Amino acid sequence: MSPHPPLLQAGVKAKAKFTITPGSEQVRATIERDGFIETFNQIGGVVLANACGPCIGQWDRTDVKKGERNSIITSFNRNFTARNDGNTETHAFVASPELVTAMAIAGDLRFNPATDTIKTEDGREIKLENPLGNELPPTGFDKRENTYQAPPEDGSSVNVIIDENSQRLQKLSPFAAWDGKDIEEVPVLIKAQGKCTTDHISMAGPWLKFRGHLDNISSSLLIAATNSETGEVNKVKNIVTGEFGAVPEVARQYKAQGLGWVVVGDENYGEGSSREHAALEPRHLGGRAVIVKSFARIHETNLKKQGILPLTFANPADYDKVSGHHKVSIKGVSDIAPGKPVTLVVHKDDTTEEITLNHTMNEGQIEWFKAGSALNLMAQQQ
């Protein structure tokens, strides 16, 4: 939506901070060509770079202090707590771009654009016209700058140089291949309760500056997930030492001792952004399997690609039979096959209980698991 001429002619400015994020370079170039950027500037808006910004928490917000209660209204597709600015006291409302624009101009959440008016500096009252526009640019999109850089035909001599002291970039090492054995008596790192999205598994916002450094960003692993044992976040028990610690801290402790571990989760585990790091981080810190009532499809596939077993309870009620303080074994991994269940053995003091687990891996995905990851298998096939 572009503010209509009467507003511009009257010198009306947006009363609230008004930012616009183009979805791509093509969109940015098109709205510049067609005069929208100039219009946004005239109304007091700021057009941001066509890159990840407030939508994913990359918002260096200075108008409100952390902990200060406030409201924002956006046309981004997610609005859970602290998503946009890292402030848990920000109440984020989702609306259409047209309504967001109207609210920014009015600067008041009570404003009804269908009935209310905007007061100009000279005292006139102007009512917003109903938004009207073309679904697509009449003259097509302007491709403008081509930012694609093709790789060399032969990359064998290319050496990627990374500062060893960099906190933002780190060379990736291949994950270890499967040892050919069942998973025996490993701890449950956390039994997550309720909604556990990819943002709960791998935090966005300020953590995204470590996207190129797997070890650093892994310090955000599951820090927003709720521990079903205590109802707390980012606090789990190390069953070896008996002490409590942050989730990534305990995962690192297990890894240092050569212990793999598993995660137990609830329904639709891994919903939300298709964030690869939500699978990379548990694999990097020693995770062997994720066992849940059900998966979000993309996250399930991402786990497969990184060599982690994504398993579901054949009977979802069996979720209640596993504790975050238990050790578990997974039998049947040694001869895993498409459509063939495996067995979870829960070690409870002097007794054990067997639970049937299903998986959706096909032959090719099982080969990913055996190789240690999809990339490992690709490298073997070169």
Side-chain angles (χ1 to χ4, degrees):
M1 172 185 171
S2 173
H4 55 80
L7 286 179
L8 299 180
Q9 293 168 3
V12 171
K13 300 285 186 183
K15 290 185 174 63
K17 188 174 184 179
F18 183 32
T19 60
I20 305 96
T21 306
S24 67
E25 167 57 21
Q26 185 171 255
V27 170
R28 186 210 61 78
T30 302
I31 65 173
E32 181 180 50
R33 179 200 67 192
D34 294 346
F36 285 89
I37 289 183
E38 181 182 355
T39 299
F40 286 135
N41 288 338
Q42 287 179 324
I43 205 74
V46 175
V47 178
L48 304 177
N50 46 292
C52 292
C55 173
I56 199 167
Q58 297 285 79
W59 185 7
D60 184 17
R61 192 175 183 191
T62 57
D63 61 317
V64 171
K65 296 179 181 179
K66 288 287 177 68
E68 182 179 342
R69 184 169 294 182
N70 71 102
S71 295
I72 60 175
I73 181 167
T74 82
S75 59
F76 298 131
N77 59 349
R78 295 188 180 92
N79 67 330
F80 52 80
T81 302
R83 167 74 181 196
N84 303 116
D85 61 0
N87 184 2
T88 56
E89 292 301 317
T90 295
H91 301 281
F93 300 92
V94 176
S96 68
E98 293 85 355
L99 190 55
V100 170
T101 302
M103 292 297 188
I105 293 170
D108 191 334
L109 288 175
R110 297 168 296 182
F111 179 73
N112 182 351
T115 58
D116 297 341
T117 58
I118 301 293
K119 191 171 185 177
T120 66
E121 289 187 1
D122 60 7
R124 287 181 293 151
E125 299 284 345
I126 298 178
K127 186 173 181 296
L128 297 179
E129 298 175 358
N130 289 333
L132 179 67
N134 300 301
E135 291 189 8
L136 294 172
T139 57
F141 286 99
D142 185 342
K143 296 183 179 179
R144 191 65 68 88
E145 298 178 29
N146 183 2
T147 57
Y148 174 70
Q149 295 183 11
E153 292 185 9
D154 180 9
S156 59
S157 62
V158 174
N159 182 27
V160 179
I161 301 173
I162 299 175
D163 184 346
E164 292 184 359
N165 297 317
S166 174
Q167 297 300 302
R168 302 285 291 272
L169 295 174
Q170 179 188 46
K171 285 187 178 180
L172 287 175
S173 300
F175 293 131
W178 175 51
D179 62 8
K181 302 176 182 178
D182 287 343
I183 297 172
E184 298 286 355
E185 295 197 39
V186 297
V188 175
L189 175 66
I190 183 173
K191 181 182 177 182
Q193 182 179 38
K195 179 174 287 195
C196 194
T197 71
T198 49
D199 277 276
H200 292 86
I201 303 166
S202 173
M203 292 289 284
W207 286 98
L208 292 179
K209 63 176 174 286
F210 299 125
R211 280 176 294 187
H213 197 295
L214 181 55
D215 193 58
N216 280 348
I217 199 169
S218 292
S219 292
S220 75
L221 175 66
L222 288 160
I223 62 175
T226 301
N227 183 350
S228 69
E229 307 295 330
T230 63
E232 298 177 289
V233 298
N234 201 26
K235 185 177 181 181
V236 293
K237 185 178 181 179
N238 181 324
I239 64 172
V240 176
T241 66
E243 298 178 354
F244 282 86
V247 180
E249 176 189 347
V250 173
R252 290 183 189 278
Q253 291 167 357
Y254 288 151
K255 181 180 179 180
Q257 293 178 286
L259 290 174
W261 45 264
V262 304
V263 168
V264 175
D266 215 319
E267 297 280 5
N268 205 26
Y269 183 90
E271 65 177 290
S273 304
S274 55
R275 189 165 300 159
E276 195 79 21
H277 287 88
L280 283 164
E281 292 172 30
R283 183 69 164 98
H284 174 64
L285 294 186
R288 302 292 303 278
V290 177
I291 307 163
V292 300
K293 292 182 181 179
S294 65
F295 279 107
R297 178 181 54 83
I298 294 177
H299 182 62
E300 180 183 18
T301 301
N302 285 344
L303 290 171
K304 295 175 184 179
K305 288 192 295 181
Q306 302 307 334
I308 292 180
L309 288 172
L311 305 169
T312 55
F313 293 103
N315 178 4
D318 286 341
Y319 166 90
D320 296 324
K321 297 178 180 179
V322 186
S323 165
H325 300 157
H326 287 150
K327 281 189 176 182
V328 298
S329 300
I330 304 176
K331 302 291 187 180
V333 179
S334 56
D335 58 352
I336 194 166
K340 184 179 180 181
V342 297
T343 301
L344 180 71
V345 181
V346 183
H347 300 273
K348 301 179 177 182
D349 298 324
D350 297 328
T351 64
T352 61
E353 183 167 4
E354 294 190 353
I355 296 171
T356 301
L357 304 176
N358 295 326
H359 70 85
T360 61
M361 292 190 291
N362 57 35
E363 291 283 4
Q365 293 166 341
I366 289 173
E367 292 305 309
W368 295 348
F369 169 70
K370 291 179 178 179
S373 71
L375 282 178
N376 285 2
L377 183 62
M378 291 172 63
Q380 293 172 12
Q381 295 172 338
Q382 293 298 313

